Amino acid sequence: MTRTAIAALALCALTLTACGGTTKDSAGQQGNQPGNTAAANPDAKLKTGLKVTYLPKQVNNPYFTVVGKGVEQAAAEFQAAVKATGPSEASAASQVTYINTAAQQRQDVLVLAANDENAVAPALKTARAQGMKVVTLDSDVAEDARDVFVNQVDSGEIAVKQVELLSKAIGGSGEFAILSATANATNQNTWIDIMQRELAKPEYAQLKLVEIAYGNDDDQTSFQKTQGLLQAHPNLKGIISPTTVGLAAAARYLGSSEYKGKVALTGLGTPNQMREYVKNDTLTSFALWEPAKLGYLATYAAAALASGQITGAAGQKFKAGNLGEYAIGRSGEVVLGPPTVFTKDNIDRFDF
Ligand code: RAM
């Protein structure tokens, strides 16, 4: 699916307008081919002893380490064995060899956050044809290359929230930039597309998006890109960074520069990485979901697939341990829940 198509789907969900074009949006239909050909049996027992591979976008990103804790916790609850593996950088094709290895090692399920929606699709399709179940979390792949996508938050909601936070921080008017992760990341591009549509609303008429920069979810690159944005746009009033790596690097740069307090910053970050910058007034608010819950939910979805409880079709339900029951929505998507906004007032209640 193209970026625009994903954004359009997210927008359909947001505005509740009638949107055609999807082929499996009602309960009881078969899930995505080629993996989901059997009928679902909601009463099937959750299998124990499953082999789970967890493949984040990159291994050295604290956010994905926390997601991995949730994967481990769920797996421990149904005695599955987890292999966590992955590239050190989040480039488009960097995950292909890890997918092939998981298939060769006959892993039952793969839980992955994709760096590119298409680059990994052929390897995933081959693995699924051999019987491996594929659950994406955080950042999706082409819909026919996975069984289920576990989205952290409704894509529209999280994109709109960031525009709202930025607008508030700069008094509703002025130039701003986006500091994203990699140019191919499905989640980033979906959110950015929705943000751009949101800017067309009359209440944002005075906001001007002047540049989208890519820090590649690399700390140094994100730091330098922040500096570059500030130099290139002397009238810049704010930055949205919808990536935990970008937000932390931008805060580090801003916090010790002449721009501190003059250029606003918001986006998506982990409380532990952002605490000092919220406390020293580099930024007032940012948002996120609970990464461990995302990993936990996705791993239960993967086990439900491997146990035959679900096939990935819309309307099917499964139990996700202590998170309770979840239903699969259109396009095989399961949504974890609403985001949390962190400020000085609540940040000390969170430790991740
Ligand atoms: C980074 C990654 C991830 C994104 C978070 C918010 O860690 O880009 O995909 O969801 O930020």
Side-chain angles (χ1 to χ4, degrees), residues 177-196:
I178 295 176
L179 174 65
S180 180
T182 57
N184 295 306
T186 326
N187 56 345
Q188 296 285 323
N189 291 331
T190 301
W191 297 331
I192 292 169
D193 280 350
I194 299 171
M195 284 183 204
Q196 285 175 307

Side-chain angles (χ1 to χ4, degrees), residues 9-41:
L9 267 183
L11 210 69
C12 291
L14 237 193
T15 54
L16 299 178
T17 49
C19 303
T22 182
T23 51
K24 45 174 193 12
D25 57 352
S26 60
Q29 286 187 341
Q30 291 289 316
N32 305 335
Q33 299 295 326
N36 297 334
T37 46
N41 172 12

Side-chain angles (χ1 to χ4, degrees), residues 276-298:
E276 71 174 283
Y277 303 109
V278 167
K279 293 197 173 179
N280 75 11
D281 297 320
T282 301
L283 76 170
T284 47
S285 61
F286 63 96
L288 202 73
W289 44 92
E290 284 193 48
K293 285 189 181 165
L294 181 63
Y296 184 88
L297 175 58

Side-chain angles (χ1 to χ4, degrees), residues 240-269:
I240 297 180
S241 188
T243 136
T244 57
V245 180
L247 190 68
R252 202 170 77 249
Y253 183 82
L254 272 184
S256 57
S257 77
E258 57 183 300
Y259 304 102
K260 185 177 167 209
K262 297 190 185 114
V263 174
L265 176 67
T266 191
L268 304 176

Side-chain angles (χ1 to χ4, degrees), residues 111-173:
V111 176
L112 87 152
N115 284 320
D116 183 289
E117 64 180 332
N118 296 314
V120 290
L124 291 177
K125 286 180 188 170
T126 305
R128 288 178 75 212
Q130 290 171 12
M132 189 168 80
K133 301 297 180 192
V134 174
V135 172
T136 46
L137 54 65
D138 184 76
S139 183
D140 201 8
V141 293
E143 202 181 316
D144 62 351
R146 48 75 171 158
D147 296 279
V148 166
F149 168 45
V150 180
N151 200 350
Q152 41 271 51
V153 178
D154 173 85
S155 301
E157 193 178 347
I158 199 67
V160 165
K161 176 56 78 184
Q162 290 172 82
V163 175
E164 186 191 306
L165 293 176
L166 183 274
S167 179
K168 220 187 204 170
I170 67 173
S173 120

